[in-house]
Tab-separated table of all heavy atoms in Angstrom:
chain	number	residue	atom	x	y	z
A	601	LEU	N	109.002	111.466	102.350
A	601	LEU	CA	108.902	112.507	101.337
A	601	LEU	C	109.143	111.857	99.981
A	601	LEU	O	110.164	111.193	99.779
A	601	LEU	CB	109.943	113.598	101.601
A	601	LEU	CG	110.081	114.705	100.561
A	601	LEU	CD1	108.793	115.503	100.436
A	601	LEU	CD2	111.249	115.629	100.928
A	602	HIS	N	108.186	112.050	99.052
A	602	HIS	CA	108.270	111.413	97.749
A	602	HIS	C	108.076	112.442	96.639
A	602	HIS	O	107.287	113.392	96.785
A	602	HIS	CB	107.184	110.336	97.590
A	602	HIS	CG	107.161	109.314	98.666
A	602	HIS	ND1	108.175	108.410	98.866
A	602	HIS	CD2	106.221	109.036	99.613
A	602	HIS	CE1	107.866	107.607	99.882
A	602	HIS	NE2	106.691	107.976	100.360
A	603	GLU	N	108.763	112.217	95.533
A	603	GLU	CA	108.516	112.967	94.303
A	603	GLU	C	108.393	111.951	93.166
A	603	GLU	O	109.330	111.750	92.383
A	603	GLU	CB	109.634	113.970	94.032
A	603	GLU	CG	109.312	114.934	92.906
A	603	GLU	CD	110.335	116.053	92.768
A	603	GLU	OE1	111.145	116.253	93.701
A	603	GLU	OE2	110.325	116.731	91.726
A	604	PRO	N	107.234	111.269	93.070
A	604	PRO	CA	107.104	110.173	92.114
A	604	PRO	C	107.175	110.599	90.655
A	604	PRO	O	107.542	109.794	89.797
A	604	PRO	CB	105.736	109.568	92.450
A	604	PRO	CG	105.011	110.624	93.202
A	604	PRO	CD	106.042	111.437	93.909
A	605	ARG	N	106.800	111.849	90.383
A	605	ARG	CA	106.922	112.391	89.036
A	605	ARG	C	107.303	113.865	89.134
A	605	ARG	O	107.108	114.495	90.185
A	605	ARG	CB	105.610	112.230	88.254
A	605	ARG	CG	105.248	110.786	87.948
A	605	ARG	CD	103.947	110.702	87.167
A	605	ARG	NE	104.044	111.350	85.865
A	605	ARG	CZ	103.010	111.510	85.028
A	605	ARG	NH1	101.816	111.042	85.385
A	605	ARG	NH2	103.171	112.119	83.868
A	606	THR	N	107.821	114.399	88.055
A	606	THR	CA	108.214	115.808	88.050
A	606	THR	C	107.027	116.688	88.426
A	606	THR	O	105.944	116.573	87.853
A	606	THR	CB	108.726	116.213	86.654
A	606	THR	OG1	109.852	115.400	86.320
A	606	THR	CG2	109.134	117.680	86.637
A	607	GLY	N	107.231	117.536	89.420
A	607	GLY	CA	106.177	118.455	89.841
A	607	GLY	C	105.135	117.863	90.758
A	607	GLY	O	104.135	118.518	91.057
A	608	LEU	N	105.345	116.646	91.228
A	608	LEU	CA	104.388	115.984	92.123
A	608	LEU	C	105.097	115.583	93.408
A	608	LEU	O	106.048	114.792	93.379
A	608	LEU	CB	103.797	114.752	91.443
A	608	LEU	CG	102.841	113.889	92.277
A	608	LEU	CD1	101.609	114.687	92.710
A	608	LEU	CD2	102.431	112.640	91.487
A	609	LEU	N	104.659	116.137	94.520
A	609	LEU	CA	105.252	115.841	95.832
A	609	LEU	C	104.211	115.209	96.749
A	609	LEU	O	103.021	115.530	96.670
A	609	LEU	CB	105.752	117.122	96.493
A	609	LEU	CG	107.056	117.752	96.025
A	609	LEU	CD1	107.282	119.056	96.791
A	609	LEU	CD2	108.232	116.804	96.230
A	610	ALA	N	104.678	114.360	97.650
A	610	ALA	CA	103.830	113.816	98.699
A	610	ALA	C	104.641	113.717	99.976
A	610	ALA	O	105.789	113.266	99.962
A	610	ALA	CB	103.291	112.440	98.311
A	611	GLY	N	104.051	114.151	101.078
A	611	GLY	CA	104.691	114.042	102.384
A	611	GLY	C	103.702	113.465	103.367
A	611	GLY	O	102.585	113.983	103.505
A	612	LEU	N	104.085	112.410	104.073
A	612	LEU	CA	103.157	111.727	104.980
A	612	LEU	C	103.919	110.781	105.892
A	612	LEU	O	105.114	110.565	105.728
A	612	LEU	CB	102.107	110.955	104.185
A	612	LEU	CG	102.491	109.616	103.526
A	612	LEU	CD1	101.249	108.955	102.933
A	612	LEU	CD2	103.557	109.746	102.466
A	613	GLY	N	103.177	110.218	106.871
A	613	GLY	CA	103.746	109.181	107.723
A	613	GLY	C	104.421	109.713	108.968
A	613	GLY	O	105.627	109.556	109.142
A	614	TYR	N	103.644	110.296	109.886
A	614	TYR	CA	104.242	110.951	111.054
A	614	TYR	C	104.253	110.064	112.298
A	614	TYR	O	104.803	110.459	113.323
A	614	TYR	CB	103.518	112.272	111.314
A	614	TYR	CG	103.497	113.136	110.076
A	614	TYR	CD1	102.319	113.337	109.363
A	614	TYR	CD2	104.665	113.695	109.570
A	614	TYR	CE1	102.297	114.090	108.203
A	614	TYR	CE2	104.661	114.454	108.403
A	614	TYR	CZ	103.473	114.643	107.726
A	614	TYR	OH	103.462	115.379	106.567
A	615	ASN	N	103.614	108.892	112.219
A	615	ASN	CA	103.757	107.868	113.259
A	615	ASN	C	103.435	108.383	114.650
A	615	ASN	O	104.097	108.026	115.634
A	615	ASN	CB	105.182	107.296	113.216
A	615	ASN	CG	105.516	106.639	111.892
A	615	ASN	OD1	105.172	105.491	111.650
A	615	ASN	ND2	106.173	107.383	111.001
A	616	GLY	N	102.433	109.247	114.752
A	616	GLY	CA	102.010	109.733	116.054
A	616	GLY	C	102.693	110.996	116.530
A	616	GLY	O	102.416	111.458	117.630
A	617	ARG	N	103.558	111.579	115.737
A	617	ARG	CA	104.225	112.829	116.115
A	617	ARG	C	103.862	113.951	115.137
A	617	ARG	O	104.677	114.805	114.809
A	617	ARG	CB	105.740	112.627	116.150
A	617	ARG	CG	106.184	111.603	117.183
A	617	ARG	CD	106.085	112.155	118.614
A	617	ARG	NE	106.128	111.095	119.598
A	617	ARG	CZ	107.251	110.523	120.034
A	617	ARG	NH1	108.411	110.913	119.560
A	617	ARG	NH2	107.206	109.568	120.934
A	618	GLY	N	102.628	113.933	114.667
A	618	GLY	CA	102.262	114.780	113.544
A	618	GLY	C	102.153	116.259	113.823
A	618	GLY	O	102.352	117.058	112.906
A	619	VAL	N	101.812	116.672	115.034
A	619	VAL	CA	101.595	118.107	115.255
A	619	VAL	C	102.868	118.884	114.949
A	619	VAL	O	102.832	119.917	114.262
A	619	VAL	CB	101.117	118.382	116.695
A	619	VAL	CG1	100.872	119.879	116.886
A	619	VAL	CG2	99.837	117.605	117.000
A	620	ALA	N	103.988	118.397	115.417
A	620	ALA	CA	105.250	119.088	115.147
A	620	ALA	C	105.803	118.750	113.768
A	620	ALA	O	106.208	119.638	113.013
A	620	ALA	CB	106.278	118.725	116.220
A	621	MET	N	105.805	117.457	113.408
A	621	MET	CA	106.508	117.042	112.196
A	621	MET	C	105.759	117.391	110.922
A	621	MET	O	106.372	117.518	109.860
A	621	MET	CB	106.815	115.551	112.253
A	621	MET	CG	107.777	115.158	113.366
A	621	MET	SD	109.306	116.155	113.418
A	621	MET	CE	110.064	115.710	111.862
A	622	THR	N	104.437	117.547	110.961
A	622	THR	CA	103.711	118.005	109.774
A	622	THR	C	104.181	119.389	109.368
A	622	THR	O	104.306	119.689	108.170
A	622	THR	CB	102.204	118.055	110.028
A	622	THR	OG1	101.952	118.763	111.251
A	622	THR	CG2	101.587	116.676	110.103
A	623	ASN	N	104.438	120.228	110.344
A	623	ASN	CA	104.884	121.587	110.038
A	623	ASN	C	106.295	121.590	109.469
A	623	ASN	O	106.618	122.391	108.591
A	623	ASN	CB	104.778	122.461	111.291
A	623	ASN	CG	103.367	122.957	111.522
A	623	ASN	OD1	102.991	123.994	111.013
A	623	ASN	ND2	102.570	122.200	112.259
A	624	VAL	N	107.138	120.673	109.945
A	624	VAL	CA	108.463	120.523	109.346
A	624	VAL	C	108.320	120.072	107.893
A	624	VAL	O	108.956	120.621	106.985
A	624	VAL	CB	109.307	119.507	110.140
A	624	VAL	CG1	110.638	119.263	109.438
A	624	VAL	CG2	109.553	120.016	111.562
A	625	MET	N	107.465	119.075	107.656
A	625	MET	CA	107.272	118.568	106.298
A	625	MET	C	106.723	119.656	105.376
A	625	MET	O	107.149	119.775	104.211
A	625	MET	CB	106.315	117.372	106.309
A	625	MET	CG	106.071	116.766	104.933
A	625	MET	SD	107.526	115.959	104.212
A	625	MET	CE	107.480	114.387	105.096
A	626	GLY	N	105.785	120.453	105.867
A	626	GLY	CA	105.238	121.530	105.051
A	626	GLY	C	106.300	122.510	104.602
A	626	GLY	O	106.343	122.932	103.434
A	627	LYS	N	107.186	122.880	105.516
A	627	LYS	CA	108.291	123.778	105.154
A	627	LYS	C	109.204	123.149	104.105
A	627	LYS	O	109.626	123.807	103.141
A	627	LYS	CB	109.105	124.124	106.397
A	627	LYS	CG	108.438	125.058	107.381
A	627	LYS	CD	109.300	125.272	108.612
A	627	LYS	CE	110.636	125.892	108.282
A	627	LYS	NZ	111.477	126.075	109.503
A	628	ILE	N	109.505	121.873	104.293
A	628	ILE	CA	110.429	121.202	103.381
A	628	ILE	C	109.825	121.085	101.983
A	628	ILE	O	110.514	121.324	100.972
A	628	ILE	CB	110.803	119.819	103.947
A	628	ILE	CG1	111.688	119.984	105.178
A	628	ILE	CG2	111.492	118.962	102.894
A	628	ILE	CD1	111.914	118.708	105.944
A	629	MET	N	108.544	120.736	101.899
A	629	MET	CA	107.935	120.617	100.577
A	629	MET	C	107.852	121.970	99.888
A	629	MET	O	108.036	122.066	98.667
A	629	MET	CB	106.573	119.936	100.684
A	629	MET	CG	106.695	118.463	101.032
A	629	MET	SD	105.244	117.465	100.640
A	629	MET	CE	104.073	118.092	101.840
A	630	ALA	N	107.618	123.030	100.647
A	630	ALA	CA	107.635	124.365	100.054
A	630	ALA	C	109.028	124.701	99.531
A	630	ALA	O	109.170	125.288	98.441
A	630	ALA	CB	107.177	125.399	101.074
A	631	GLN	N	110.051	124.332	100.281
A	631	GLN	CA	111.420	124.578	99.816
A	631	GLN	C	111.681	123.877	98.487
A	631	GLN	O	112.302	124.443	97.579
A	631	GLN	CB	112.425	124.098	100.872
A	631	GLN	CG	112.453	124.941	102.132
A	631	GLN	CD	113.192	124.241	103.272
A	631	GLN	OE1	113.789	123.176	103.087
A	631	GLN	NE2	113.152	124.839	104.458
A	632	ARG	N	111.207	122.651	98.367
A	632	ARG	CA	111.405	121.913	97.120
A	632	ARG	C	110.679	122.594	95.956
A	632	ARG	O	111.245	122.769	94.873
A	632	ARG	CB	110.912	120.471	97.294
A	632	ARG	CG	110.931	119.643	96.012
A	632	ARG	CD	112.324	119.492	95.458
A	632	ARG	NE	112.314	118.788	94.181
A	632	ARG	CZ	113.051	119.139	93.132
A	632	ARG	NH1	113.874	120.176	93.198
A	632	ARG	NH2	112.974	118.431	92.019
A	633	VAL	N	109.432	122.988	96.163
A	633	VAL	CA	108.678	123.669	95.112
A	633	VAL	C	109.381	124.959	94.690
A	633	VAL	O	109.414	125.309	93.504
A	633	VAL	CB	107.240	123.966	95.590
A	633	VAL	CG1	106.509	124.870	94.594
A	633	VAL	CG2	106.464	122.673	95.796
A	634	LEU	N	109.974	125.645	95.651
A	634	LEU	CA	110.626	126.924	95.366
A	634	LEU	C	112.021	126.760	94.776
A	634	LEU	O	112.714	127.749	94.550
A	634	LEU	CB	110.686	127.761	96.644
A	634	LEU	CG	109.326	128.221	97.185
A	634	LEU	CD1	109.476	128.850	98.571
A	634	LEU	CD2	108.645	129.204	96.225
A	635	GLY	N	112.442	125.522	94.557
A	635	GLY	CA	113.684	125.327	93.816
A	635	GLY	C	114.806	124.625	94.530
A	635	GLY	O	115.872	124.398	93.936
A	636	ALA	N	114.628	124.268	95.790
A	636	ALA	CA	115.705	123.572	96.511
A	636	ALA	C	115.959	122.200	95.896
A	636	ALA	O	115.021	121.473	95.547
A	636	ALA	CB	115.344	123.431	97.984
A	637	ALA	N	117.212	121.847	95.763
A	637	ALA	CA	117.566	120.532	95.235
A	637	ALA	C	117.192	119.446	96.251
A	637	ALA	O	117.312	119.658	97.467
A	637	ALA	CB	119.058	120.466	94.934
A	638	PRO	N	116.723	118.297	95.795
A	638	PRO	CA	116.312	117.239	96.731
A	638	PRO	C	117.376	116.857	97.747
A	638	PRO	O	117.064	116.594	98.907
A	638	PRO	CB	115.970	116.064	95.800
A	638	PRO	CG	115.574	116.710	94.515
A	638	PRO	CD	116.448	117.921	94.393
A	639	ASP	N	118.647	116.836	97.331
A	639	ASP	CA	119.687	116.383	98.254
A	639	ASP	C	120.092	117.436	99.279
A	639	ASP	O	120.976	117.190	100.105
A	639	ASP	CB	120.910	115.881	97.499
A	639	ASP	CG	121.560	116.957	96.622
A	639	ASP	OD1	121.088	118.114	96.637
A	639	ASP	OD2	122.532	116.632	95.918
A	640	THR	N	119.435	118.604	99.258
A	640	THR	CA	119.707	119.631	100.272
A	640	THR	C	118.639	119.669	101.358
A	640	THR	O	118.761	120.436	102.311
A	640	THR	CB	119.786	121.026	99.623
A	640	THR	OG1	118.494	121.391	99.096
A	640	THR	CG2	120.818	121.050	98.508
A	641	LEU	N	117.581	118.877	101.218
A	641	LEU	CA	116.448	118.941	102.143
A	641	LEU	C	116.731	118.163	103.424
A	641	LEU	O	117.582	117.271	103.455
A	641	LEU	CB	115.196	118.391	101.462
A	641	LEU	CG	114.792	119.089	100.154
A	641	LEU	CD1	113.628	118.352	99.494
A	641	LEU	CD2	114.430	120.552	100.408
A	642	ALA	N	115.981	118.484	104.476
A	642	ALA	CA	116.180	117.806	105.766
A	642	ALA	C	115.712	116.361	105.729
A	642	ALA	O	116.243	115.515	106.451
A	642	ALA	CB	115.448	118.565	106.872
A	643	PHE	N	114.680	116.062	104.935
A	643	PHE	CA	114.201	114.699	104.794
A	643	PHE	C	114.750	114.103	103.498
A	643	PHE	O	114.769	114.784	102.469
A	643	PHE	CB	112.667	114.650	104.728
A	643	PHE	CG	111.962	114.967	106.011
A	643	PHE	CD1	110.592	115.155	106.020
A	643	PHE	CD2	112.646	115.085	107.211
A	643	PHE	CE1	109.919	115.457	107.191
A	643	PHE	CE2	111.987	115.377	108.386
A	643	PHE	CZ	110.612	115.561	108.379
A	644	PRO	N	115.143	112.840	103.498
A	644	PRO	CA	115.576	112.214	102.247
A	644	PRO	C	114.384	112.021	101.310
A	644	PRO	O	113.275	111.712	101.749
A	644	PRO	CB	116.147	110.867	102.698
A	644	PRO	CG	115.494	110.589	104.011
A	644	PRO	CD	115.251	111.922	104.653
A	645	MET	N	114.604	112.228	100.029
A	645	MET	CA	113.591	111.956	99.024
A	645	MET	C	113.644	110.469	98.696
A	645	MET	O	114.653	109.970	98.184
A	645	MET	CB	113.851	112.792	97.767
A	645	MET	CG	112.709	112.781	96.778
A	645	MET	SD	111.342	113.857	97.278
A	645	MET	CE	112.054	115.486	96.978
A	646	THR	N	112.582	109.744	99.002
A	646	THR	CA	112.607	108.292	98.859
A	646	THR	C	111.618	107.828	97.797
A	646	THR	O	110.640	108.505	97.496
A	646	THR	CB	112.274	107.604	100.194
A	646	THR	OG1	111.000	108.068	100.663
A	646	THR	CG2	113.328	107.925	101.234
A	647	LYS	N	111.885	106.646	97.246
A	647	LYS	CA	110.982	106.055	96.272
A	647	LYS	C	109.766	105.471	96.987
A	647	LYS	O	109.844	105.035	98.131
A	647	LYS	CB	111.703	104.958	95.491
A	647	LYS	CG	112.813	105.466	94.585
A	647	LYS	CD	113.434	104.317	93.801
A	647	LYS	CE	114.514	104.834	92.860
A	647	LYS	NZ	115.145	103.725	92.078
Side-chain angles (χ1 to χ4, degrees):
L601 174 63
H602 306 294
E603 190 172 345
R605 293 180 63 186
T606 300
L608 176 61
L609 283 177
L612 77 173
Y614 306 108
N615 299 278
R617 298 286 163 82
V619 181
M621 295 310 295
T622 50
N623 279 272
V624 175
M625 181 67 80
K627 288 177 61 181
I628 290 170
M629 290 200 291
Q631 290 166 7
R632 174 62 184 138
V633 171
L634 294 171
D639 61 3
T640 66
L641 303 174
F643 290 170
M645 191 77 73
T646 56
K647 293 183 178 180

